[in-house]
Amino acid sequence: MTTATRSAPRLSTTAPRRRSAAAAAYLVLGLIALAFLVPFAWLFLSSVSEHATLDTSVPDHLTLRNFADVLTGDNLHALVNSLVLSLGSAVLTLVLAAPAAYPLSRYTRRFGRPILLILLFATGLPITAILVPVYGLFVQLDLLDSIPATILFLTATGLPMAIWLMKNFMDEVPISLEEAAWVDGASGLRALLRIVLPLMLPGTAVVFTFTFALTWGNFFVPFILLVDPAKQPASVVIFQYFGLHGTASYGLLAAFSILYSMPVVVLYTVVQRVLGNAFALSGAVKG
Protein backbone atom coordinates (compact mmCIF):
# COMPACT_ATOMS: atom_id res chain seq x y z
CA MET A 1 0.00 0.00 0.00
CA THR A 2 1.51 3.25 -1.00
CA THR A 3 1.06 6.47 0.97
CA ALA A 4 2.05 8.77 -1.84
CA THR A 5 -0.64 11.19 -2.96
CA ARG A 6 -1.16 12.06 -6.57
CA SER A 7 -1.58 15.67 -7.53
CA ALA A 8 -4.45 16.65 -9.81
CA PRO A 9 -3.50 16.81 -13.50
CA ARG A 10 -2.85 20.36 -14.63
CA LEU A 11 -4.34 21.72 -17.82
CA SER A 12 -1.84 22.99 -20.35
CA THR A 13 -2.38 26.24 -22.15
CA THR A 14 -3.36 24.31 -25.24
CA ALA A 15 -5.84 22.03 -23.48
CA PRO A 16 -9.30 22.01 -25.13
CA ARG A 17 -11.06 23.04 -21.92
CA ARG A 18 -8.74 26.02 -21.43
CA ARG A 19 -9.09 27.12 -25.05
CA SER A 20 -12.88 27.04 -24.68
CA ALA A 21 -12.72 29.07 -21.45
CA ALA A 22 -10.38 31.61 -23.08
CA ALA A 23 -12.66 31.90 -26.12
CA ALA A 24 -15.70 32.48 -23.88
CA ALA A 25 -13.80 35.11 -21.86
CA TYR A 26 -12.67 36.96 -25.01
CA LEU A 27 -16.22 36.81 -26.37
CA VAL A 28 -17.61 38.44 -23.22
CA LEU A 29 -14.84 41.07 -23.25
CA GLY A 30 -15.55 41.75 -26.92
CA LEU A 31 -19.25 42.28 -26.24
CA ILE A 32 -18.46 44.64 -23.35
CA ALA A 33 -16.00 46.58 -25.54
CA LEU A 34 -18.61 46.80 -28.31
CA ALA A 35 -21.16 48.16 -25.85
CA PHE A 36 -18.72 50.95 -24.96
CA LEU A 37 -17.51 51.67 -28.49
CA VAL A 38 -20.90 51.98 -30.21
CA PRO A 39 -21.91 55.16 -28.29
CA PHE A 40 -18.50 56.68 -29.03
CA ALA A 41 -18.89 55.77 -32.71
CA TRP A 42 -22.32 57.47 -32.79
CA LEU A 43 -20.84 60.50 -31.02
CA PHE A 44 -18.02 60.91 -33.55
CA LEU A 45 -20.11 60.21 -36.67
CA SER A 46 -22.94 62.50 -35.57
CA SER A 47 -20.53 65.34 -34.80
CA VAL A 48 -19.32 65.41 -38.43
CA SER A 49 -22.73 64.84 -40.01
CA GLU A 50 -24.95 67.56 -41.51
CA HIS A 51 -28.16 65.73 -40.67
CA ALA A 52 -27.38 63.64 -37.61
CA THR A 53 -30.02 61.31 -36.26
CA LEU A 54 -30.09 58.53 -33.68
CA ASP A 55 -28.78 56.10 -36.30
CA THR A 56 -25.10 55.15 -36.20
CA SER A 57 -24.13 55.48 -39.85
CA VAL A 58 -21.34 57.06 -41.86
CA PRO A 59 -22.56 60.41 -43.27
CA ASP A 60 -22.43 61.06 -47.00
CA HIS A 61 -20.63 64.36 -46.50
CA LEU A 62 -18.29 65.08 -43.59
CA THR A 63 -18.44 68.55 -42.10
CA LEU A 64 -17.02 70.45 -39.15
CA ARG A 65 -19.95 72.86 -39.13
CA ASN A 66 -21.31 71.44 -35.86
CA PHE A 67 -18.04 72.22 -34.05
CA ALA A 68 -18.03 75.77 -35.46
CA ASP A 69 -21.64 76.31 -34.34
CA VAL A 70 -21.03 75.20 -30.74
CA LEU A 71 -17.85 77.26 -30.32
CA THR A 72 -19.77 80.31 -29.17
CA GLY A 73 -18.85 82.74 -26.44
CA ASP A 74 -21.48 81.40 -24.06
CA ASN A 75 -20.33 77.80 -24.47
CA LEU A 76 -16.66 78.73 -23.97
CA HIS A 77 -17.67 80.69 -20.86
CA ALA A 78 -19.52 77.61 -19.60
CA LEU A 79 -16.38 75.50 -20.12
CA VAL A 80 -14.38 78.08 -18.12
CA ASN A 81 -16.98 77.84 -15.34
CA SER A 82 -16.56 74.05 -15.35
CA LEU A 83 -12.80 74.50 -15.13
CA VAL A 84 -13.11 76.87 -12.16
CA LEU A 85 -15.50 74.56 -10.30
CA SER A 86 -13.49 71.40 -11.01
CA LEU A 87 -10.03 72.83 -10.32
CA GLY A 88 -11.23 74.62 -7.18
CA SER A 89 -12.91 71.51 -5.84
CA ALA A 90 -9.98 69.20 -6.70
CA VAL A 91 -7.31 71.45 -5.15
CA LEU A 92 -9.36 72.13 -2.01
CA THR A 93 -10.12 68.42 -1.65
CA LEU A 94 -6.39 67.58 -1.74
CA VAL A 95 -5.58 70.31 0.80
CA LEU A 96 -8.20 68.96 3.24
CA ALA A 97 -7.91 65.24 2.55
CA ALA A 98 -4.17 64.91 3.18
CA PRO A 99 -4.14 66.09 6.84
CA ALA A 100 -7.42 64.26 7.48
CA ALA A 101 -6.03 60.97 6.16
CA TYR A 102 -2.71 61.27 8.01
CA PRO A 103 -3.90 60.37 11.54
CA LEU A 104 -6.08 57.58 10.13
CA SER A 105 -3.01 56.10 8.47
CA ARG A 106 -0.37 56.65 11.16
CA TYR A 107 -2.19 56.26 14.48
CA THR A 108 -4.12 53.21 15.59
CA ARG A 109 -7.04 54.34 17.69
CA ARG A 110 -10.13 52.39 18.55
CA PHE A 111 -12.21 54.98 16.72
CA GLY A 112 -10.15 54.66 13.54
CA ARG A 113 -12.10 51.78 12.02
CA PRO A 114 -15.56 53.28 12.78
CA ILE A 115 -14.44 56.53 11.16
CA LEU A 116 -13.31 54.64 8.07
CA LEU A 117 -16.63 52.80 7.91
CA ILE A 118 -18.50 56.11 8.23
CA LEU A 119 -16.39 57.53 5.37
CA LEU A 120 -17.17 54.47 3.27
CA PHE A 121 -20.87 54.85 4.03
CA ALA A 122 -20.74 58.55 3.16
CA THR A 123 -19.27 57.78 -0.27
CA GLY A 124 -22.41 55.80 -1.12
CA LEU A 125 -24.90 58.49 -0.16
CA PRO A 126 -26.59 60.04 -3.22
CA ILE A 127 -26.22 63.80 -3.39
CA THR A 128 -29.89 64.16 -4.28
CA ALA A 129 -30.79 62.85 -0.82
CA ILE A 130 -29.17 65.83 0.91
CA LEU A 131 -29.54 68.53 -1.72
CA VAL A 132 -32.93 69.80 -0.49
CA PRO A 133 -31.71 70.73 3.02
CA VAL A 134 -28.48 72.05 1.49
CA TYR A 135 -30.55 74.26 -0.83
CA GLY A 136 -32.47 75.59 2.16
CA LEU A 137 -29.20 76.29 3.99
CA PHE A 138 -27.80 78.12 0.97
CA VAL A 139 -30.96 80.28 0.79
CA GLN A 140 -30.82 81.15 4.50
CA LEU A 141 -27.11 82.02 4.36
CA ASP A 142 -27.54 83.97 1.09
CA LEU A 143 -25.04 81.66 -0.66
CA LEU A 144 -27.31 80.74 -3.55
CA ASP A 145 -25.74 81.48 -6.95
CA SER A 146 -22.27 81.67 -5.36
CA ILE A 147 -19.48 79.80 -7.17
CA PRO A 148 -17.15 79.68 -4.09
CA ALA A 149 -19.97 78.25 -1.95
CA THR A 150 -20.74 75.69 -4.66
CA ILE A 151 -17.05 74.70 -4.72
CA LEU A 152 -17.17 74.21 -0.94
CA PHE A 153 -20.21 71.94 -1.22
CA LEU A 154 -18.69 69.93 -4.08
CA THR A 155 -15.51 69.57 -1.99
CA ALA A 156 -17.54 68.33 0.98
CA THR A 157 -19.28 65.70 -1.15
CA GLY A 158 -15.96 64.45 -2.58
CA LEU A 159 -14.00 64.45 0.68
CA PRO A 160 -15.09 61.02 2.05
CA MET A 161 -13.82 59.14 -1.01
CA ALA A 162 -10.71 61.35 -1.20
CA ILE A 163 -9.81 60.70 2.46
CA TRP A 164 -10.39 56.97 1.94
CA LEU A 165 -8.09 56.88 -1.09
CA MET A 166 -5.43 59.11 0.48
CA LYS A 167 -5.35 56.96 3.61
CA ASN A 168 -4.73 53.82 1.58
CA PHE A 169 -2.02 55.45 -0.53
CA MET A 170 -0.43 56.88 2.65
CA ASP A 171 -0.26 53.40 4.18
CA GLU A 172 2.21 52.44 1.43
CA VAL A 173 4.79 55.01 2.63
CA PRO A 174 7.09 53.41 5.27
CA ILE A 175 6.80 55.16 8.62
CA SER A 176 10.53 54.59 9.18
CA LEU A 177 11.23 57.42 6.74
CA GLU A 178 9.19 59.79 8.91
CA GLU A 179 10.91 58.55 12.06
CA ALA A 180 14.27 59.45 10.52
CA ALA A 181 12.93 62.94 9.81
CA TRP A 182 11.63 63.25 13.37
CA VAL A 183 15.09 62.34 14.71
CA ASP A 184 16.50 65.18 12.62
CA GLY A 185 14.07 67.57 14.27
CA ALA A 186 11.27 67.73 11.70
CA SER A 187 7.74 68.28 12.99
CA GLY A 188 4.83 66.05 12.03
CA LEU A 189 3.50 68.60 9.53
CA ARG A 190 6.94 69.07 7.98
CA ALA A 191 7.40 65.30 7.67
CA LEU A 192 3.99 65.06 5.99
CA LEU A 193 4.79 67.83 3.50
CA ARG A 194 8.44 66.93 2.78
CA ILE A 195 8.46 63.13 3.12
CA VAL A 196 5.01 61.55 2.84
CA LEU A 197 3.27 63.62 0.17
CA PRO A 198 6.18 63.60 -2.34
CA LEU A 199 6.46 59.82 -2.03
CA MET A 200 2.73 59.33 -2.61
CA LEU A 201 2.58 61.64 -5.63
CA PRO A 202 0.93 58.99 -7.85
CA GLY A 203 -1.82 58.54 -5.27
CA THR A 204 -2.25 62.29 -4.98
CA ALA A 205 -2.58 62.51 -8.77
CA VAL A 206 -5.22 59.77 -8.69
CA VAL A 207 -7.26 61.62 -6.06
CA PHE A 208 -6.93 64.90 -7.98
CA THR A 209 -7.99 63.31 -11.28
CA PHE A 210 -10.86 61.43 -9.65
CA THR A 211 -12.19 64.56 -7.91
CA PHE A 212 -11.74 66.71 -11.02
CA ALA A 213 -13.63 64.23 -13.22
CA LEU A 214 -16.37 63.80 -10.60
CA THR A 215 -16.95 67.55 -10.39
CA TRP A 216 -16.63 68.07 -14.15
CA GLY A 217 -19.49 65.69 -14.83
CA ASN A 218 -21.71 66.87 -11.99
CA PHE A 219 -25.01 68.20 -13.38
CA PHE A 220 -27.44 68.31 -10.49
CA VAL A 221 -25.49 70.38 -7.93
CA PRO A 222 -24.68 73.40 -10.17
CA PHE A 223 -28.13 73.12 -11.76
CA ILE A 224 -29.74 73.66 -8.34
CA LEU A 225 -27.26 75.98 -6.60
CA LEU A 226 -26.28 78.24 -9.53
CA VAL A 227 -29.28 80.21 -10.82
CA ASP A 228 -27.56 82.73 -13.10
CA PRO A 229 -27.07 81.16 -16.58
CA ALA A 230 -23.74 83.00 -16.86
CA LYS A 231 -22.39 81.03 -13.88
CA GLN A 232 -23.54 77.57 -14.94
CA PRO A 233 -20.93 75.05 -16.12
CA ALA A 234 -20.86 73.08 -19.36
CA SER A 235 -22.50 70.05 -17.73
CA VAL A 236 -25.68 72.17 -17.39
CA VAL A 237 -25.34 74.15 -20.62
CA ILE A 238 -25.17 70.95 -22.67
CA PHE A 239 -28.78 70.35 -21.65
CA GLN A 240 -29.89 73.10 -24.07
CA TYR A 241 -29.12 70.86 -27.07
CA PHE A 242 -31.69 68.30 -25.97
CA GLY A 243 -34.34 70.89 -26.86
CA LEU A 244 -38.01 70.71 -26.01
CA HIS A 245 -40.53 67.98 -26.83
CA GLY A 246 -37.79 65.59 -27.95
CA THR A 247 -36.43 67.87 -30.69
CA ALA A 248 -32.77 67.34 -29.93
CA SER A 249 -30.03 68.81 -32.12
CA TYR A 250 -28.02 65.62 -32.39
CA GLY A 251 -25.15 67.06 -34.44
CA LEU A 252 -24.61 70.01 -32.08
CA LEU A 253 -25.10 67.77 -29.07
CA ALA A 254 -22.44 65.32 -30.31
CA ALA A 255 -19.97 68.10 -31.17
CA PHE A 256 -20.37 69.81 -27.81
CA SER A 257 -20.14 66.46 -26.00
CA ILE A 258 -16.74 65.81 -27.60
CA LEU A 259 -15.45 69.27 -26.68
CA TYR A 260 -16.90 68.86 -23.19
CA SER A 261 -15.07 65.54 -22.70
CA MET A 262 -11.66 66.70 -23.92
CA PRO A 263 -10.35 68.36 -20.68
CA VAL A 264 -10.86 65.17 -18.66
CA VAL A 265 -9.29 63.02 -21.40
CA VAL A 266 -6.31 65.39 -21.66
CA LEU A 267 -5.86 65.48 -17.88
CA TYR A 268 -5.92 61.69 -17.62
CA THR A 269 -3.48 61.32 -20.55
CA VAL A 270 -1.02 63.85 -19.12
CA VAL A 271 -1.09 62.36 -15.64
CA GLN A 272 -0.76 58.83 -17.00
CA ARG A 273 2.22 59.75 -19.19
CA VAL A 274 3.95 61.72 -16.42
CA LEU A 275 3.48 59.11 -13.72
CA GLY A 276 3.75 56.04 -15.92
CA ASN A 277 3.02 52.73 -14.27
CA ALA A 278 2.59 54.33 -10.86
CA PHE A 279 -0.82 55.63 -11.99
CA ALA A 280 -2.56 52.33 -11.39
CA LEU A 281 -4.93 52.91 -8.46
CA SER A 282 -2.94 50.25 -6.62
CA GLY A 283 -3.47 51.83 -3.23
CA ALA A 284 -7.21 52.17 -3.70
CA VAL A 285 -7.83 48.45 -3.29
CA LYS A 286 -6.07 48.11 0.04
CA GLY A 287 -8.54 48.39 2.89
Side-chain angles (χ1 to χ4, degrees):
M1 180 178 180
T2 177
T3 58
T5 57
R6 292 185 177 181
S7 59
R10 300 181 59 182
L11 294 176
S12 66
T13 55
T14 57
R17 289 178 56 188
R18 176 153 298 189
R19 287 202 301 269
S20 301
Y26 283 120
L27 178 61
V28 173
L29 291 176
L31 292 176
I32 294 175
L34 188 64
F36 278 96
L37 289 178
V38 167
F40 284 108
W42 178 87
L43 200 65
F44 174 75
L45 294 175
S46 298
S47 67
V48 294
S49 174
E50 291 181 344
H51 307 287
T53 62
L54 288 176
D55 296 332
T56 305
S57 59
V58 179
D60 297 330
H61 303 285
L62 302 181
T63 178
L64 296 177
R65 179 64 182 271
N66 293 324
F67 288 95
D69 288 344
V70 298
L71 284 175
T72 62
D74 292 340
N75 288 340
L76 294 177
H77 188 69
L79 289 172
V80 173
N81 289 340
S82 292
L83 201 61
V84 171
L85 288 173
S86 301
L87 280 178
S89 177
V91 172
L92 193 57
T93 298
L94 285 182
V95 171
L96 297 177
Y102 185 76
L104 294 174
S105 173
R106 291 299 188 253
Y107 304 110
T108 55
R109 297 286 187 269
R110 64 174 181 174
F111 299 112
R113 183 171 177 79
I115 291 176
L116 288 176
L117 293 177
I118 292 174
L119 289 175
L120 185 62
F121 172 75
T123 59
L125 283 177
I127 296 179
T128 51
I130 59 174
L131 200 53
V132 173
V134 168
Y135 178 81
L137 182 65
F138 269 54
V139 171
Q140 292 182 2
L141 298 178
D142 198 19
L143 295 176
L144 200 63
D145 211 21
S146 169
I147 289 182
T150 305
I151 291 176
L152 284 177
F153 178 67
L154 290 170
T155 301
T157 58
L159 263 180
M161 177 60 76
I163 295 174
W164 181 271
L165 291 175
M166 291 284 277
K167 184 264 178 189
N168 287 308
F169 283 118
M170 207 170 284
D171 289 344
E172 302 295 330
V173 180
I175 196 171
S176 58
L177 298 177
E178 286 180 80
E179 292 173 344
W182 295 339
V183 171
D184 291 337
S187 62
L189 179 61
R190 188 178 179 85
L192 172 64
L193 296 177
R194 302 295 296 271
I195 303 295
V196 178
L197 289 181
L199 289 176
M200 54 177 291
L201 184 59
T204 305
V206 169
V207 176
F208 179 85
T209 306
F210 176 79
T211 308
F212 183 92
L214 200 66
T215 306
W216 186 268
N218 196 308
F219 168 81
F220 203 55
V221 171
F223 180 72
I224 297 298
L225 300 182
L226 296 176
V227 181
D228 188 356
K231 296 181 180 179
Q232 290 180 341
S235 58
V236 177
V237 173
I238 196 174
F239 187 69
Q240 65 180 316
Y241 295 110
F242 283 96
L244 297 175
H245 309 295
T247 57
S249 303
Y250 295 113
L252 300 178
L253 175 62
F256 191 72
S257 296
I258 291 177
L259 295 176
Y260 170 63
S261 305
M262 290 308 295
V264 175
V265 176
V266 171
L267 174 64
Y268 177 82
T269 303
V270 170
V271 173
Q272 196 275 337
R273 290 183 65 86
V274 171
L275 299 180
N277 295 328
F279 187 62
L281 273 173
S282 57
V285 296
K286 186 176 183 299

